[in-house]
Amino acid sequence: MTSNCSFEGVDHLMRYFELAIYIPIFVFGLILNVAALLVFCVCMRKWTETTIYMTSLALMDLLLLFPLPFKMHATKHRWPAEFQPLCSVLESLYFVGIYGSIYTIMCIAVDRWVSICYPFKARILRSPKAALGTCVVVWVLVLAAISPTIYRFREAGQTSDFHCFHGFSKNSWSPKVIICLQVFGFLVPALVVVYCSVHTICVLQQSGQNSPQSKACVKIIYSSLSAFLLPFTPSHLGIFLQFLVHQGMIQDCGNKTRISLFIQVAMCLSNITCCLDALCYYFIAKEVRDTKNTFTISMRSQRKNTFSTSEV
């Protein structure tokens, strides 16, 4: 971006907008996710696949919430150059929380898809050990992908004060980094979540079940799909547009200013996923489990009827 284009108006507006958004997200997200962890770890005696995935999701959301107070401080204040290692750690935790949540939600969608669409195979594929192993793999992969990369997001040997969470170096906007981020960080998990959700809804509707549990499950899937797409789609669209700016494909100052405002607002609002996750995946866990059991009983009955007809 050229120096002739001023972003002072955008930065001034975002100082107040971020505070208005981050404070309630931090408070409610902290309360909801800590409450979820207490329920899963203390109140529930038996660990199931659902509770394991949700516990991992709550931990990811808390990891995302932890840097928010520092992010709010960095919006209005410049940090001394010696705080750059601390900033890199906080930025790393923030992005690990974001993409860890994305992949954990993807795992929840796949687990629900298997349990409802393939109830007999689910006995072999699903288990608490498999769910725990999947969560561990997600944590390791996200940490391994984000942590080494985040230290290259700032210019080496910087000696002046800086804004943490802002002003990433040119290396962070390289085509290789952005393509990997967009494809493996969002597009692939989004396609998996959409496919599993749509297929699960079709199977439930085609099964002929009109029970309250089935209807509740369809509503839950729609709401959880919306809770995934609404926070993350605009933010990754903004990242792509900002990438075009850094590549010189967008040079008009007015468009640059609008894109800068859009990406900052979208990234700010994407943090609301900390609250949506707790509402969509914790409070509705029992209803999803009940629907799965109802659907399994129905499939068994249909199979028994088929066997009886073939014997006659």
Side-chain angles (χ1 to χ4, degrees):
M1 293 185 289
T2 62
S3 58
N4 295 329
C5 195
S6 176
F7 299 92
E8 292 183 0
V10 174
D11 295 339
H12 180 74
L13 175 62
M14 289 306 302
R15 290 175 186 174
Y16 300 97
F17 181 79
E18 288 187 355
L19 290 177
I21 297 298
Y22 282 155
I23 291 176
I25 287 178
F26 180 78
V27 173
F28 288 107
L30 187 64
I31 294 173
L32 289 173
N33 285 284
V34 169
L37 286 178
L38 288 176
V39 171
F40 296 146
C41 299
V42 178
C43 300
M44 290 189 175
R45 298 179 180 178
K46 184 179 180 181
W47 284 88
T48 64
E49 297 85 356
T50 302
T51 54
I52 290 172
Y53 283 123
M54 291 184 181
T55 300
S56 180
L57 183 60
L59 291 174
M60 287 290 187
D61 287 337
L62 288 175
L63 196 65
L64 174 59
L65 286 168
F66 175 74
L68 284 188
F70 300 95
K71 199 170 187 294
M72 286 186 282
H73 180 272
T75 301
K76 286 188 174 183
H77 303 86
R78 300 179 68 90
W79 290 15
E82 56 266 24
F83 282 13
Q84 186 167 327
L86 173 62
C87 176
S88 296
V89 171
L90 294 172
E91 289 171 343
S92 178
L93 293 177
Y94 181 77
F95 287 109
V96 167
I98 288 179
Y99 292 101
S101 297
I102 288 177
Y103 270 88
T104 305
I105 293 171
M106 182 191 74
C107 292
I108 292 173
V110 172
D111 180 74
R112 181 175 53 203
W113 170 65
V114 171
S115 64
I116 293 179
C117 299
Y118 305 98
F120 299 102
K121 292 183 179 180
R123 290 184 172 184
I124 302 174
L125 299 175
R126 298 178 74 246
S127 69
K129 288 185 179 180
L132 180 60
T134 302
C135 291
V136 171
V137 169
V138 169
W139 277 87
V140 172
L141 286 179
V142 175
L143 284 169
I146 298 295
S147 298
T149 307
I150 202 72
Y151 287 97
R152 296 186 301 173
F153 280 10
R154 300 197 172 276
E155 299 291 346
Q158 184 176 1
T159 57
S160 59
D161 295 351
F162 67 100
H163 278 297
C164 190
F165 294 95
H166 297 278
F168 293 127
S169 66
K170 293 182 179 180
N171 292 332
S172 62
W173 293 100
S174 65
K176 181 172 64 175
V177 172
I178 298 302
I179 289 174
C180 290
L181 184 71
Q182 295 282 10
V183 174
F184 299 105
F186 177 68
L187 288 179
V188 171
L191 290 174
V192 173
V193 171
V194 170
Y195 172 80
C196 292
S197 300
V198 171
H199 189 202
T200 303
I201 291 172
C202 292
V203 169
L204 285 172
Q205 293 177 340
Q206 292 173 1
S207 66
Q209 297 185 68
N210 294 317
S211 63
Q213 292 89 349
S214 297
K215 294 180 180 179
C217 187
V218 171
K219 294 180 180 179
I220 288 166
I221 295 172
Y222 276 125
S223 61
S224 60
L225 181 61
S226 300
F228 176 83
L229 294 177
L230 290 178
F232 296 122
T233 302
S235 60
H236 285 84
L237 175 60
I239 291 173
F240 176 71
L241 293 175
Q242 191 74 335
F243 167 72
L244 296 181
V245 172
H246 282 271
Q247 294 299 308
M249 298 181 185
I250 299 177
Q251 299 183 357
D252 179 71
C253 184
N255 290 333
K256 288 182 178 182
T257 304
R258 285 187 285 269
I259 290 173
S260 177
L261 178 61
F262 175 75
I263 187 176
Q264 292 189 61
V265 171
M267 291 295 294
C268 183
L269 293 177
S270 67
N271 294 283
I272 202 173
T273 185
C274 299
C275 302
L276 295 179
D277 288 343
L279 292 174
C280 290
Y281 294 108
Y282 164 56
F283 290 109
I284 61 181
K286 184 178 182 299
E287 296 178 6
V288 173
R289 188 165 56 251
D290 291 344
T291 305
K292 178 197 68 176
N293 295 335
T294 302
F295 184 75
T296 303
I297 294 172
S298 175
M299 292 293 293
R300 287 175 179 173
S301 299
Q302 292 178 14
R303 176 165 289 192
K304 287 180 180 179
N305 293 334
T306 302
F307 288 159
S308 301
T309 303
S310 61
E311 290 175 356
V312 175

